[in-house]
Amino acid sequence: MKSKTSILVLLISVLILNLNIYADSDFDKAVLKAKKHLKEAMDKMDESKLVKSRGEFERILQLKKDVWLVNYYIALADYGLSMNAGRTENKDNIRKFTESGISIINKSIDENPEFADSFVLLEILNFNRWQYEQEKMQEIISATQTADADAMKLDPNNPRLILTNGISHFYTPEAFGGGVKVAIPEFEKAIEIFKIRKEKKEIYPDWGYDMAMGYMALSLIKRNDDGDMKKAKSIIDEALKLNPDSGFIAGYVTDQYKENNK
Amino acid sequence: MKYIILLVILLSHTGISISQSSDSEEPKFTVISGTVKGDRDSLLEGVNVVIKGTIDGATTDKKGYFEFETEKTGQQNLLFSFLEYEDKTIPVEILSGNNINLNVKLSKEDVKTEEIIVTASSFTSGQNNAVTLTPLEIVRIPGADADLYRAITTFPGSNQVDEGSRITVRGGDPDEVLTIIDQASLYNPFIFDETFNVSSYSTINPWGLKGINFTSGGFSAKYGNVLSAVLDLKSYDMPQGTGMFAWLGLANASLSGVYLSKDRNFGATFSGGKLLLQPYFAINGESSEYEPIPQSNQFGGTLSYKLGSTGNIKFYANYSDDKVGIKNASPSFDGFYNSNSKSYFTNLKLMTAPSSSTLINAGASFSLYDRNNEYGILNTDTKDIYSKGRVDFTKNLTSKIDINTGAEYEYSGYEIKGTVPSYSYNLNLTAPSFKIDTLSHTGRIGAYAETQIKISDRVFVIAGARTDYHTLSGKMSFDPRISFGYLPDNFHSIRGAVGLYHQYPRLDNYFRASDNDLNPEDAMHYILGYEFNKEGKIVFRVEGYYKDYKNLVLMDRNDFYYRSSGEGNVKGVDVFFKTKISNKFTGWISYAYSDSKRKQYDSQNLAPSNYDITNNFSLVGSYNLTDQIVFGAIYKLSTGKPYTPVTGSEFVSSQNVFRPVYGEVNSARYPAYSRIDVNAQYIFSLFGKFAVAVIAVNNILNHKNIYQYTYNSDYSERKEIITNNKRTFYVGLGLQL
């Protein structure tokens, strides 16, 4: 009798395990597929694709698994949509997607406060607020600094965190403590980490390598010391090998190089 | 062991048989397609459509069209979701192979909890489409000295009292303007509020506000015991980060900070400031003789704790004090007018949302304003005490209908002790006087109910009523109110309001009433206005109003008791034009015409009210020279306020002083008031931190505006007392720590 009970328990356990394996597999497949679509959309900065990709992640929420991670990607899609709105100076949409992104990434952080990338995303979303509510500068500075510190505590070698700081310094005038001199070492460090970094799970975010190379190239173009343009060209080529679809590298960065290398 | 082997085999076979079964049968897909539309049948791109519990679904394209295949069958729920729109769930019966086509309409989340619907006579800041004032504009308005109230007076309908932060609205008294912060009534958010010729300043930090709604008439039934205007402020529920900001200026220094816990459930803020006028006077000179010079301290803060995903509890506390002595020569006494005050305010607020469509706010507040005034024989200690408990309940019945209801109890106490001159014209140290030691208090119970109805995408109506009961007088009031808006398109709107408003007289008025028999003063508001608002970039508004006052406090000349037999009216037009040109220029012009007459207190006939400013004009501009440098300027011009002239005097031999003989109440006016202020702001990095420097020159043309007239001892010579706001220079530096 005892052994029959044991078998029954084992049977149920294995069945549950089996179901979970199937569920995990469905979930992972769905996330990986959606992640690929999001990357394509972000590479091309294609609004329609970004919207579709956002919807894809929203649908994955229905699986009710690792909701924090799915929310992370929805917030990342919102960030992409807000950046896209920034290209056309559509302030209503910058605000709409930034606010949505902040709200969703905060939910993600509530669900999993130990994931450094969520704080990095919160930081860059808060940077976006400058574009439409400069009057809240004190609050924005506090929010970005806090998110930065939280990410730093959790994962000081997170390459996206280092990249974000580099981008922030790249756009900040020297008079404000920024400039390429400060940014270049950060891009270098981010690239070094990206080279060797493997995320704990394939479904986790891994964006940023090509972007770090793009910004490194832009920084060299901007600095334009002896040999910088040559180095920039080499980095652009390397970045295009890494991600031939990157609109940022193939378009903006390459154009900047051509313009400054006449 | 054999069972385990059997089990493994069984499981393996189950898996195989499932997969074989799947492979052998051709899956039958059902195509679900359709179109999703929004308000006014606009096609919505980006709507997410999903069968609940699955990942089967699609996103709508530019034509609002979606299409996807599913193997699911039977009763399923289709979920439609889209940013800023309400989710919609549609049950469908899926029969394998029978395709489904749907036409779906989504509604915007029009009536959200705590959303401010912009009504007539409102100027708002927050996340809505009709923002007319932002905290950045408040701190940048030249001459406003980063003071919310002073900034508001650059909009039509409101005026500064004696160049300070106290405001009057559409000819009413300053007491007829109610400030509310997080539901609590804030009666004394000022320093130097009752001082002779020293401008008052607000103690409210504009950076701490997430929403500002100033309404100069026709406001909601949720606001009780206020006759003219409401300034409704909402502070942040939770800081969004951790940091500190320090400010050092020619006249003041302050330090503020915010803290957010790592789990983001707890937040705290603090601010402290001190007035340091020595360097300011050293550069600008003392415009009057002071002993002591004006001094003030302020500190306060908040503690917030998140309750679940939608609730919040917040404790707010603020303390401020001031002290000043200013030389003044009146006909009967030449000496220092000394005053000092202490103000305490605390508020505990609880917010909870039991469901996505229900919001409950509850709060309890306490405030004490304690001040001393001394001038000649006058020497009084006065205390105002207020305590309030309040509950508000908001329910979104549908996307078009909102119900708001609530109740409040407010305790008010007024205490005055000291020596008061028997005759107002004789203030010298040996003048006849009497001792006073009086305490009066009352309770007020109020309740309201209101509904906001969106009749269509273009028409809204807010209808409600409130009732209040005053325990001291035993009087009850009932106020029906209605306001509406018609928005023919996204840019134009017509807004109006009609309603009855009551306010019980100040407690000191009951001292002079027989058996506390004073009715609440009342005003009927009629407002109609038109606005053109192109996404805040161009705003043009014109609004006409008429207010009919009844039951104003009036002195009965027969027995000198106060009675509720006064009356009055005010009519006027407000015009406002604001423009934003890219990120470079923001500016506005405001003009208000007002004709306010009252039979109130000593005025036995309808006469211009104390704050009847016939014409009031402001021109404000701010220009971003670069991302780092901003220039601003403001020009203000208005009709001088009325005063009661002295037409002669009589010698009172028993007191050895002259008594003035007055003409008709408010039958004369001070000269027109004008002033130009300029400032510049520079944003830069200091020690690698964000820093901002401000340079300001107030009253750059040094226009001598008159505060009031005084007279020599026999009233034969009139002298002007010029306001203390002569040309002054200010510089300040702020640093994010």
Side-chain angles (χ1 to χ4, degrees):
Chain A
M1 182 65 193
K2 200 176 170 186
S3 61
K4 278 187 180 172
T5 310
S6 305
I7 288 167
L8 190 63
V9 169
L10 187 66
L11 176 64
I12 291 165
S13 307
V14 173
L15 272 172
I16 290 169
L17 187 68
N18 223 26
L19 288 173
N20 272 342
I21 288 165
Y22 273 109
D24 278 358
S25 164
D26 285 350
F27 175 79
D28 285 9
K29 272 185 203 163
V31 170
L32 286 173
K33 192 175 155 195
K35 193 179 149 189
K36 185 171 166 269
H37 292 155
L38 179 58
K39 183 186 170 298
E40 285 167 9
M42 300 262 286
D43 276 345
K44 300 289 178 208
M45 268 296 153
D46 183 319
E47 186 182 351
S48 179
K49 284 186 175 175
L50 280 164
V51 167
K52 278 186 181 168
S53 164
R54 188 185 193 282
E56 211 173 341
F57 280 110
E58 275 196 79
R59 292 194 288 279
I60 296 173
L61 279 178
Q62 293 293 319
L63 297 180
K64 300 192 188 311
K65 183 166 172 18
D66 286 347
V67 170
W68 64 270
L69 182 65
V70 185
N71 274 331
Y72 170 89
Y73 282 115
I74 295 172
L76 186 61
D78 277 340
Y79 175 68
L81 284 160
S82 71
M83 294 299 285
N84 188 63
R87 295 197 310 171
T88 52
E89 292 189 12
N90 182 339
K91 286 206 172 182
D92 286 346
N93 274 358
I94 299 173
R95 177 193 281 273
K96 182 169 87 177
F97 291 117
T98 303
E99 297 296 322
S100 166
I102 289 174
S103 161
I104 292 168
I105 198 63
N106 275 324
K107 268 192 218 168
S108 172
I109 290 170
D110 284 345
E111 290 150 2
N112 180 5
E114 303 299 323
F115 193 59
D117 271 302
S118 299
F119 291 98
V120 177
L121 185 53
L122 179 64
E123 182 180 358
I124 57 178
L125 280 161
N126 271 302
F127 277 140
N128 254 10
R129 294 169 60 199
W130 278 100
Q131 295 183 62
Y132 60 88
E133 52 180 7
Q134 290 171 20
E135 70 272 13
K136 292 182 181 167
M137 54 190 159
Q138 290 181 39
E139 190 198 314
I140 294 169
I141 290 169
S142 296
T144 53
Q145 283 179 347
T146 304
D148 189 79
D150 287 341
M152 188 64 82
K153 270 183 214 160
L154 290 166
D155 186 1
N157 286 318
N158 185 304
R160 281 167 291 283
L161 172 64
I162 298 161
L163 168 65
T164 300
N165 286 332
I167 295 171
S168 165
H169 286 128
F170 177 81
Y171 287 113
T172 307
E174 276 183 38
F176 285 71
V180 289
K181 275 184 195 170
V182 188
I184 283 175
E186 286 168 321
F187 294 136
E188 281 173 343
K189 187 176 174 190
I191 290 166
E192 286 309 308
I193 297 173
F194 273 124
K195 274 181 191 167
I196 52 168
R197 172 128 169 162
K198 192 166 164 47
E199 301 303 333
K200 283 180 189 164
K201 289 184 182 177
E202 205 183 345
I203 53 172
Y204 283 3
D206 54 7
W207 57 270
Y209 191 0
D210 55 330
M211 195 188 278
M213 295 176 90
Y215 272 102
M216 183 68 200
L218 285 174
S219 301
L220 293 168
I221 293 165
K222 204 170 176 184
R223 188 172 70 179
N224 205 359
D225 282 351
D226 275 354
D228 275 352
M229 295 308 279
K230 204 176 165 186
K231 271 191 221 165
K233 177 74 175 83
S234 155
I235 290 171
I236 291 169
D237 291 344
E238 205 181 324
L240 281 172
K241 269 185 209 162
L242 191 74
N243 182 7
D245 300 324
S246 168
F248 173 61
I249 308 285
Y252 183 72
V253 181
T254 305
D255 288 350
Q256 288 293 309
Y257 172 77
K258 284 179 184 166
E259 207 170 289
N260 288 278
N261 197 38
K262 282 174 186 169
Chain B
M1 184 63 192
K2 65 177 180 182
Y3 289 110
I4 295 174
I5 293 166
L6 180 70
L7 180 67
V8 171
I9 293 167
L10 183 70
L11 277 173
S12 309
H13 276 258
T14 308
I16 289 165
S17 69
I18 289 169
S19 69
Q20 279 178 342
S21 164
S22 305
D23 287 341
S24 64
E25 284 183 30
E26 193 66 30
K28 285 190 178 173
F29 289 106
T30 303
V31 176
I32 300 180
S33 62
T35 306
V36 185
K37 291 179 178 176
D39 293 339
R40 296 184 298 286
D41 286 340
S42 56
L43 297 167
L44 297 180
E45 182 191 7
V47 177
N48 185 44
V49 188
V50 66
I51 297 174
K52 274 191 174 178
T54 76
I55 56 171
D56 292 353
T59 307
T60 57
D61 63 15
K62 282 195 166 65
K63 293 178 181 172
Y65 181 76
F66 68 93
E67 182 181 305
F68 66 93
E69 292 179 334
T70 183
E71 283 182 79
K72 295 279 172 189
T73 55
Q75 190 68 40
Q76 302 288 345
N77 286 309
L78 269 183
L79 174 68
F80 294 79
S81 59
F82 189 48
L83 269 183
E84 297 180 340
Y85 279 73
E86 290 192 336
D87 289 357
K88 191 166 197 169
T89 302
I90 296 179
V92 288
E93 175 74 27
I94 304 176
L95 301 171
S96 185
N98 283 5
N99 295 346
I100 294 172
N101 188 268
L102 298 161
N103 283 313
V104 179
K105 187 166 181 180
L106 296 186
S107 301
K108 271 208 163 185
E109 292 173 324
D110 280 330
V111 188
K112 282 182 188 167
T113 50
E114 287 209 301
E115 184 189 45
I116 295 166
I117 289 183
V118 179
T119 54
S121 300
S122 292
F123 289 94
T124 68
S125 168
Q127 288 182 15
N128 62 60
N129 294 327
V131 170
T132 40
L133 179 69
T134 68
L136 186 65
E137 286 165 357
I138 292 167
V139 298
R140 280 186 178 170
I141 292 172
D145 302 330
D147 189 309
L148 173 61
Y149 292 87
R150 290 164 190 240
I152 283 170
T153 60
T154 64
F155 293 123
S158 55
N159 285 291
Q160 283 177 274
V161 175
D162 300 329
E163 295 191 285
S165 296
R166 275 270 183 190
I167 58 176
T168 72
V169 173
R170 293 178 173 171
D173 272 3
D175 289 339
E176 295 168 13
V177 180
L178 176 65
T179 300
I180 289 176
I181 187 160
D182 298 334
Q183 292 182 293
S185 302
L186 194 52
Y187 289 102
N188 294 289
F190 307 107
I191 50 172
F192 303 116
D193 189 27
E194 293 184 24
T195 303
F196 180 83
N197 201 10
V198 177
S199 298
S200 59
Y201 280 88
S202 154
T203 54
I204 295 171
N205 173 12
W207 294 115
L209 302 173
K210 77 169 177 185
I212 301 165
N213 184 34
F214 177 69
T215 313
S216 52
F219 38 86
S220 153
K222 70 179 172 185
Y223 305 114
N225 200 31
V226 56
L227 217 49
S228 287
V230 171
L231 176 60
D232 190 354
L233 309 172
K234 286 185 172 60
S235 65
Y236 283 103
D237 291 329
M238 188 68 76
Q240 297 200 1
T242 299
M244 293 224 291
F245 190 79
W247 181 266
L248 184 62
L250 201 56
N252 59 331
S254 66
L255 183 70
S256 58
V258 290
Y259 168 77
L260 179 65
S261 69
K262 197 186 164 194
D263 63 6
R264 311 173 84 78
N265 286 328
F266 173 74
T269 67
F270 78 90
S271 68
K274 191 172 180 63
L275 197 63
L276 301 162
L277 281 172
Q278 287 89 343
Y280 182 78
F281 283 145
I283 287 179
N284 293 300
E286 286 190 27
S287 48
S288 293
E289 194 180 334
Y290 294 107
E291 184 54 47
I293 64 168
Q295 47 195 265
S296 171
N297 302 289
Q298 180 267 330
F299 58 85
T302 60
L303 299 172
S304 308
Y305 188 75
K306 206 170 161 186
L307 300 171
S309 57
T310 53
N312 177 277
I313 188 163
K314 181 166 60 177
F315 178 71
Y316 180 105
N318 193 68
Y319 165 82
S320 62
D321 62 41
D322 63 61
K323 192 174 183 181
V324 64
I326 182 168
K327 185 82 181 300
N328 178 43
S330 73
S332 59
F333 181 74
D334 186 357
F336 282 88
Y337 188 104
N338 291 298
S339 71
N340 66 74
S341 79
K342 288 185 174 67
S343 184
Y344 308 82
F345 174 74
T346 61
N347 184 35
L348 182 68
K349 187 191 165 210
L350 172 75
M351 181 192 68
T352 180
S355 74
S356 61
S357 62
T358 309
L359 183 72
I360 297 170
N361 279 295
S365 62
F366 170 81
S367 71
L368 168 64
Y369 177 44
D370 185 359
R371 70 271 191 199
N372 171 263
N373 291 288
E374 273 183 57
Y375 184 65
I377 191 70
L378 173 80
N379 186 346
T380 56
D381 285 307
T382 314
K383 283 180 186 150
D384 286 317
I385 302 161
Y386 296 96
S387 186
K388 188 162 108 171
R390 180 174 180 120
V391 178
D392 291 282
F393 176 83
T394 301
K395 174 82 180 166
N396 303 146
L397 288 185
T398 70
S399 64
K400 304 292 181 193
I401 302 175
D402 229 14
I403 295 280
N404 302 315
T405 185
E408 62 187 344
Y409 173 78
E410 185 171 52
Y411 167 87
S412 312
Y414 176 82
E415 183 186 287
I416 181 165
K417 287 180 183 175
T419 307
V420 178
S422 301
Y423 306 95
S424 60
Y425 56 82
N426 191 359
L427 293 166
N428 71 50
L429 293 169
T430 57
S433 63
F434 60 93
K435 296 283 180 192
I436 189 167
D437 186 351
T438 309
L439 169 68
S440 179
H441 57 87
T442 185
R444 180 179 61 82
I445 302 159
Y448 73 95
E450 183 179 79
T451 180
Q452 298 181 354
I453 305 169
K454 288 219 159 185
I455 293 170
S456 73
D457 295 338
R458 296 298 178 194
V459 180
F460 74 82
V461 173
I462 303 174
R466 68 170 295 119
T467 183
D468 291 88
Y469 175 74
H470 191 253
T471 58
L472 182 67
S473 61
K475 307 282 185 186
M476 193 171 217
S477 61
F478 178 72
D479 297 351
R481 299 173 191 176
I482 186 164
S483 64
F484 68 91
Y486 169 57
L487 297 79
D489 56 37
N490 289 338
F491 303 131
H492 304 270
S493 62
I494 293 165
R495 293 185 173 94
V498 179
L500 186 57
Y501 297 80
H502 280 96
Q503 182 170 354
Y504 291 92
R506 287 194 324 260
L507 273 172
D508 56 326
N509 285 320
Y510 289 90
F511 295 160
R512 296 180 63 177
S514 171
D515 295 328
N516 298 315
D517 185 22
L518 286 178
N519 291 325
E521 298 181 323
D522 70 68
M524 192 76 190
H525 293 200
Y526 305 89
I527 300 165
L528 187 62
Y530 159 80
E531 183 175 295
F532 173 81
N533 190 334
K534 195 175 177 187
E535 295 156 349
K537 289 170 190 159
I538 299 173
V539 181
F540 173 74
R541 180 188 290 186
V542 60
E543 191 168 273
Y545 62 88
Y546 178 77
K547 290 198 279 185
D548 190 16
Y549 293 95
K550 295 276 187 303
N551 287 316
L552 298 181
V553 173
L554 184 69
M555 187 177 71
D556 188 328
R557 282 283 167 94
N558 296 315
D559 54 13
F560 298 100
Y561 275 123
Y562 276 174
R563 296 211 157 78
S564 298
S565 50
E567 59 180 340
N569 64 70
V570 56
K571 52 185 175 292
V573 177
D574 292 347
V575 183
F576 178 71
F577 174 75
K578 182 178 180 181
T579 183
K580 269 185 186 178
I581 302 172
S582 69
N583 282 331
K584 282 286 177 189
F585 177 80
T586 303
W588 60 91
I589 298 169
S590 107
Y591 169 75
Y593 166 80
S594 169
D595 178 14
S596 171
K597 288 188 171 58
R598 288 190 181 195
K599 193 166 110 179
Q600 189 179 22
Y601 294 120
D602 295 342
S603 177
Q604 300 297 305
N605 302 304
L606 274 179
S609 65
N610 291 341
Y611 298 96
D612 173 40
I613 308 295
T614 313
N615 298 289
N616 191 11
F617 174 81
S618 293
L619 178 63
V620 184
S622 169
Y623 181 74
N624 293 11
L625 187 67
T626 68
D627 286 344
Q628 292 171 252
I629 301 171
V630 185
F631 289 107
I634 181 169
Y635 173 55
K636 286 182 120 180
L637 175 66
S638 60
T639 310
K641 70 176 182 182
Y643 73 95
T644 305
V646 174
T647 53
S649 67
E650 291 169 354
F651 185 68
V652 183
S653 54
S654 59
Q655 296 179 54
N656 198 30
V657 291
F658 283 87
R659 181 177 72 84
V661 175
Y662 290 105
E664 288 294 314
V665 172
N666 287 340
S667 58
R669 282 183 186 274
Y670 293 112
Y673 170 88
S674 83
R675 182 169 144 172
I676 296 174
D677 305 315
V678 295
N679 67 7
Q681 183 176 299
Y682 175 54
I683 300 168
F684 60 106
S685 174
L686 188 65
F687 313 122
K689 302 282 185 184
F690 168 85
V692 57
V694 171
I695 297 173
V697 184
N698 286 350
N699 195 3
I700 194 165
L701 299 181
N702 205 21
H703 188 86
K704 291 180 171 53
N705 292 304
I706 292 175
Y707 173 73
Q708 62 175 225
Y709 292 122
T710 188
Y711 299 85
N712 63 350
S713 60
D714 66 359
Y715 294 87
S716 60
E717 283 178 35
R718 190 177 77 176
K719 295 177 202 167
E720 294 172 345
I721 298 180
I722 305 298
T723 75
N724 276 324
N725 294 292
K726 296 170 186 170
R727 179 168 51 222
T728 53
F729 171 80
Y730 176 84
V731 60
L733 175 70
L735 183 66
Q736 186 92 23
L737 301 174

